[in-house]
C-alpha cells in the first residue's frame, strides 16, 4: 500500500490554508458536472488545469465548510438534567444538537482517490468544552475515588484535546458530489454515520487503576503446646490392632472339648467324695438327629456363663469299684453263657 502524505495544513493545531488538489491526466465526468452545477459564473472547464483551478478556489473559500454529521449531546451533567414524564420535554430542555463541521484539506485523484476533511476550530472547541464540563463530570461521578483521580481526569481531557485537533476524516473522492455553492457541502451515501462513530470513539472512558496485587497473609501455625489447639496437628492414624487375648480367656459360643477339659481341671480338686455321681451309661445306638435348625438349639452367652456340673475324678471311681465285691458281676461277665453266639460251637 503506498504511503499517503497529507499537507501541513492537516496537522494538529495547524491553521487553515489553501486546499491541496491533485487531479489525474483525465478528469472524471462526474467532477465536471459537479463543478458546472455549483458555479454561478460560467467558467470554461475544457482541460485539467481549468478543473484544478476551479476546484482549488472553490474548496479554499472561507465559506467552504462541510457538515459531516450532527450529534445529539446533553446540555449539562446527568445530575443537573431536568426530569419529566414526557420524553419530548426532556429532549428539548436537556439535549442540544451539535453540527460537526469540517473543511477540505486534501484531494487526491491519482493514487488514493480520496478526499480528507479536518474539523473546524469552532467544532473542536465545542467538543472540547463538552468533554470537559459534561462528559468528564459524569464519568468522575460514576467512578469511585482514588488518590490520583483528578490527575487522571485532567489527562483524559488533554488526550481528547489532542485527538480532536488531529482528527482527519478520509473518504472516497466521490464524496465531492455533495459539493454545493461557495464550496460548502454535506456527506452523502451514509458517510455521516461513519463520522459520527469516529467522533464517538474519541470519548474514552475514565478507567480507575487496577487493584493492587497484595500478598495473602496466612496465619502462623500454632505450636502443639499452644492452648486450645487440641490434637489438630497430629496425623490421623489407623485404628490399632486389638491386643492378643489368651485362648483360655475367650468364652466360646458353644461348648467344646478343649474348653470343658480346661475348666474341669479346677473342679476335680474342689469336689468331695460324697459329691461323686456316676453318669448313666451311654446307649450304644441312638436315633439320628433330625430336629430342624433353630436358634434355640444352640447355647447362648448367658448359658455358657452358667456353672458347669461337677464330675467325679477317675481316681475316686476306682476306689469304689476296684474291690472284691465288685468283681466281674458288676459288668455281667458271670452270665457270659447266655451271651454265647449261635455260631460258636
Amino acid at each position: 500500500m503506498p504511503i499517503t502524505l497529507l499537507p501541513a495544513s492537516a496537522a494538529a493545531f495547524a491553521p487553515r490554508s489553501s486546499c491541496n488538489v491533485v487531479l489525474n491526466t483525465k478528469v472524471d465526468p462526474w467532477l465536471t458536472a459537479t463543478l458546472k452545477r455549483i458555479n454561478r459564473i460560467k467558467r470554461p472547464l475544457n482541460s485539467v488545469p481549468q478543473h484544478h483551478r476551479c476546484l482549488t478556489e472553490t474548496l479554499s473559500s472561507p465559506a467552504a465548510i462541510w457538515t459531516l454529521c450532527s450529534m445529539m449531546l446533553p446540555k449539562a451533567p446527568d445530575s443537573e438534567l431536568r426530569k419529566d414524564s414526557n420524553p419530548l420535554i426532556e429532549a428539548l430542555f436537556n439535549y442540544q444538537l451539535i453540527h460537526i463541521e469540517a473543511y477540505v484539506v486534501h484531494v487526491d485523484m491519482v493514487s488514493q482517490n480520496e478526499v480528507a476533511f479536518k474539523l473546524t476550530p469552532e467544532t473542536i472547541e465545542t467538543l472540547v468544552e463538552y468533554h470537559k464540563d459534561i462528559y468528564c463530570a459524569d464519568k468522575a461521578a460514576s467512578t469511585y475515588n482514588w488518590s490520583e483521580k483528578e490527575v487522571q481526569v485532567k489527562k483524559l481531557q488533554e488526550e481528547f484535546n489532542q485527538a480532536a485537533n488531529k482528527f482527519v476524516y478520509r473518504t472516497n473522492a466521490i464524496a465531492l458530489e455533495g459539493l454545493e455553492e461557495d464550496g460548502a457541502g454535506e456527506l452523502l451515501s451514509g458517510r455521516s454515520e461513519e463520522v459520527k462513530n469516529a467522533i464517538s470513539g474519541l470519548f474514552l472512558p475514565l478507567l480507575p487503576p487496577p487493584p493492587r496485587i497484595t500478598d495473602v497473609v496466612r496465619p502462623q501455625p500454632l505450636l502443639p503446646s499452644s492452648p486450645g489447639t487440641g490434637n489438630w496437628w497430629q496425623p490421623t492414624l489407623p485404628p490399632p490392632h486389638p491386643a492378643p487375648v489368651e485362648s483360655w480367656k475367650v468364652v466360646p459360643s458353644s461348648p467344646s472339648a478343649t474348653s470343658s477339659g480346661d475348666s474341669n481341671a479346677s473342679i476335680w480338686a474342689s469336689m468331695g467324695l460324697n459329691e461323686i455321681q456316676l453318669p448313666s451309661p451311654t446307649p450304644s445306638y441312638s436315633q439320628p438327629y433330625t430336629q430342624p435348625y433353630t436358634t434355640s438349639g444352640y447355647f447362648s452367652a448367658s448359658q455358657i456363663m452358667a456353672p458347669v456340673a461337677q464330675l467325679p475324678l477317675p481316681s475316686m471311681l476306682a476306689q469304689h469299684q476296684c474291690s472284691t465285691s465288685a468283681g466281674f458281676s458288676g459288668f455281667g461277665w458271670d452270665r457270659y453263657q447266655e451271651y454265647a453266639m449261635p455260631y460258636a460251637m
Side-chain angles (χ1 to χ4, degrees), residues 9-10 16-17 19 58-70 98-106 115-127 164-171 176 178-180 182-187 191-192 195-196 199:
S9 59
R16 183 180 180 180
S17 62
C19 178
T58 303
L59 296 178
S60 300
S61 171
I65 303 297
W66 286 59
T67 302
L68 302 184
C69 67
S70 298
I98 297 179
H99 300 286
I100 306 301
E101 297 178 343
Y103 53 89
V104 180
V105 294
H106 178 62
V115 57
F117 296 88
K118 181 177 172 59
L119 299 179
T120 61
E122 294 77 13
T123 301
I124 294 176
E125 182 180 1
T126 302
L127 293 176
N165 281 274
K166 292 180 181 180
F167 180 79
V168 175
Y169 175 67
R170 301 160 69 172
T171 185
L176 292 176
L179 190 63
E180 298 175 358
D182 300 330
E186 293 182 359
L187 294 179
R191 293 182 178 89
S192 296
V195 178
K196 185 182 299 183
I199 295 295

Side-chain angles (χ1 to χ4, degrees), residues 231-276:
N231 295 332
W232 63 270
W233 56 273
Q234 295 180 355
T236 305
L237 299 177
H241 296 285
V245 182
E246 297 181 5
S247 59
W248 61 273
K249 292 184 180 181
V250 179
V251 180
S253 59
S254 61
S256 61
T258 303
S259 60
S260 298
D262 295 340
S263 60
N264 291 337
S266 60
I267 299 175
W268 299 110
S270 60
M271 184 179 297
L273 297 177
N274 55 351
E275 297 178 357
I276 300 174

